[in-house]
Amino acid sequence: MLTVSVLERVVISAVATVLALLIGMVIVAGAGYDPAVFSRNLLDGAVGSEAAIARTLMFTTLFVLTGVSVSIAFRAGVFNIGVHGQFIVGGFATVLAILQTAPVLPEGPIGGVVLLLVGALAAIVAGGAYAAVPGVLKAYGGANEIVTTIMLNFIAIGIVGWLVEGPFRGADQSAPNTERLPEYVELPQLIYSSPDFSIVGLVVALTVTVLIAVLVRRTSFGYEMVTSGQQASAAAYAGVDAKRMVVVTMTLSGMVAGLAGAVFTVMIQGYYSDPAGIGSYGYDAIAVSLLAANNPLGVIPAGLLFGSLDSAGSYIGISSNVPAQLIDGVVGLVVLFVSAPELFRMAAKRIGLGGDEQ
């Protein structure tokens, strides 16, 4: 009885967003700030200028990729809370692979394209391998993947942070950063002139999303993956190796997360810094996936919403005197209101009251 159509889901999300924003305005007014100015800044920060749109699309690119990563595991009945760690490992592997390979390749556009492919491949392999660890532990050791993936997040932050601080710290770097990537290793600025966003990154994210959607919905592999997670007895009757499928699912999820880390590194940073200071894209991706009902294609509008909120929050934090904590609170309120229906729907499904996904 909790099953809803795509249109109903869109309406629920829109109403939840508006309601959360209205409550946020009340909180802003109660704190002594002008809610009308806050609202205008919120809109300006998301879509008020070319720079704002580019910033929104930059965040959207990352949320779409990480959201798809989470949705893969969720649809297969596995909880990959470790997307953040796989994101970090993938991004760091990208920098290492490019810096190690660059000296043996010619400089210029051709060398840049080859290095981008090398970096992306390294990120996919590293992210997939890092996610396969909790998959193996769950499938063959009975370990709780929620616990193991969370712990692996902390391990990734600690180890990569130590590597960036020590062995791989760039020469003459006052901050804990690696060497910068060569100047010719970058995504082209085809539409927007923002140094932190390339439309190529967004195209990569959308392409991966469509491919994953096709894989999940239109192939026997996707059918086995979803069935083994949601109808284990039926999958076993059909001859599906549920343990192997858990490992494969986690690996695939981690590969997408690793690619997200590569896009973040190349498109935004151009080097790698202490992972403790980068955004919480892997954690926010859980809410993105929940909002999308774990539908890979639904992650696109969900990622756009979260990208808009993050972009607006960044703008308000710079252009107004509203405390950053208050901005984060309003944005968190929107996330809570939008995600709550999906959380209830998933809980209802777990106890047999409905909530089947579309």
Side-chain angles (χ1 to χ4, degrees), residues 1-4 9 79 290 294 339-357:
M1 63 181 173
L2 292 178
T3 300
V4 296
R9 199 182 303 281
F79 291 86
L290 287 173
N294 304 321
S339 303
E342 303 303 330
L343 286 172
F344 287 129
R345 199 167 291 121
M346 290 183 68
K349 183 182 177 184
R350 283 274 179 168
I351 60 177
L353 293 180
D356 293 336
E357 296 170 0

Side-chain angles (χ1 to χ4, degrees), residues 105-230:
L105 291 176
E107 298 183 2
I110 296 179
V113 171
V114 173
L115 288 174
L116 284 174
L117 294 176
V118 169
L121 180 61
I124 291 171
V125 172
Y130 203 63
V133 173
V136 171
L137 293 175
K138 175 181 176 59
Y140 299 101
N144 186 312
E145 78 274 21
I146 297 177
V147 175
T148 54
T149 51
I150 289 175
M151 295 311 299
L152 284 170
N153 284 341
F154 292 112
I155 293 172
I157 293 172
I159 292 180
V160 173
W162 173 74
L163 292 173
V164 171
E165 176 71 36
F168 292 97
R169 185 166 183 161
D172 301 326
Q173 291 283 351
S174 57
N177 300 328
T178 65
E179 295 279 0
R180 295 192 68 87
L181 300 179
E183 293 183 355
Y184 55 92
V185 182
E186 61 179 5
L187 300 179
Q189 307 293 323
L190 299 178
I191 298 180
Y192 299 100
S193 58
S194 169
D196 296 330
F197 173 70
S198 168
I199 196 69
V200 175
L202 181 60
V203 170
V204 169
L206 297 179
T207 302
V208 170
T209 301
V210 172
L211 290 176
I212 293 297
V214 172
L215 179 69
V216 171
R217 287 186 170 272
R218 303 295 181 187
T219 67
S220 58
F221 171 78
Y223 174 79
E224 292 178 359
M225 185 177 73
V226 175
T227 303
S228 64
Q230 301 184 1

Side-chain angles (χ1 to χ4, degrees), residues 37-340:
V37 174
F38 184 84
S39 300
R40 187 168 63 249
N41 286 339
L42 201 64
L43 187 61
D44 288 344
V47 294
S49 64
E50 180 178 312
I53 295 174
R55 189 171 56 246
T56 293
L57 294 179
M58 175 196 75
F59 286 121
T60 299
T61 299
L62 299 177
F63 284 133
V64 167
L65 280 173
T66 52
V68 167
S69 173
V70 173
S71 73
I72 292 171
F74 276 4
R75 285 191 70 86
V78 185
F79 291 86
N80 182 10
I81 313 299
V83 168
H84 191 63
Q86 296 142 24
F87 176 89
I88 290 171
V89 171
F92 185 66
T94 298
V95 171
L96 287 188
I98 291 176
L99 292 179
Q100 295 297 320
T101 310
V104 300
L105 291 176
E107 298 183 2
I110 296 179
V113 171
V114 173
L115 288 174
L116 284 174
L117 294 176
V118 169
L121 180 61
I124 291 171
V125 172
Y130 203 63
V133 173
V136 171
L137 293 175
K138 175 181 176 59
Y140 299 101
N144 186 312
E145 78 274 21
I146 297 177
V147 175
T148 54
T149 51
I150 289 175
M151 295 311 299
L152 284 170
N153 284 341
F154 292 112
I155 293 172
I157 293 172
I159 292 180
V160 173
W162 173 74
L163 292 173
V164 171
E165 176 71 36
F168 292 97
R169 185 166 183 161
D172 301 326
Q173 291 283 351
S174 57
N177 300 328
T178 65
E179 295 279 0
R180 295 192 68 87
L181 300 179
E183 293 183 355
Y184 55 92
V185 182
E186 61 179 5
L187 300 179
Q189 307 293 323
L190 299 178
I191 298 180
Y192 299 100
S193 58
S194 169
D196 296 330
F197 173 70
S198 168
I199 196 69
V200 175
L202 181 60
V203 170
V204 169
L206 297 179
T207 302
V208 170
T209 301
V210 172
L211 290 176
I212 293 297
V214 172
L215 179 69
V216 171
R217 287 186 170 272
R218 303 295 181 187
T219 67
S220 58
F221 171 78
Y223 174 79
E224 292 178 359
M225 185 177 73
V226 175
T227 303
S228 64
Q230 301 184 1
Q231 298 177 342
S233 57
Y237 182 77
V240 177
D241 186 339
K243 292 183 178 180
R244 182 181 65 85
M245 196 53 67
V246 168
V247 178
V248 172
T249 299
M250 288 294 289
T251 303
L252 179 60
S253 176
M255 291 169 66
V256 177
L259 180 61
V263 171
F264 168 78
T265 301
V266 173
M267 187 175 75
I268 299 177
Q269 284 200 313
Y271 54 88
Y272 214 82
S273 59
D274 185 354
I278 68 174
S280 56
Y281 303 107
Y283 296 116
D284 294 341
I286 298 172
V288 172
S289 182
L290 287 173
L291 174 59
N294 304 321
N295 183 324
L297 293 180
V299 163
I300 296 174
L304 181 60
L305 173 62
F306 276 70
S308 302
L309 292 173
D310 265 27
S311 176
S314 302
Y315 174 80
I316 295 174
I318 297 174
S319 62
S320 73
N321 60 349
V322 178
Q325 294 84 351
L326 189 57
I327 299 169
D328 292 340
V330 174
V331 173
L333 202 59
V334 175
V335 173
L336 177 65
F337 271 59
V338 169
S339 303

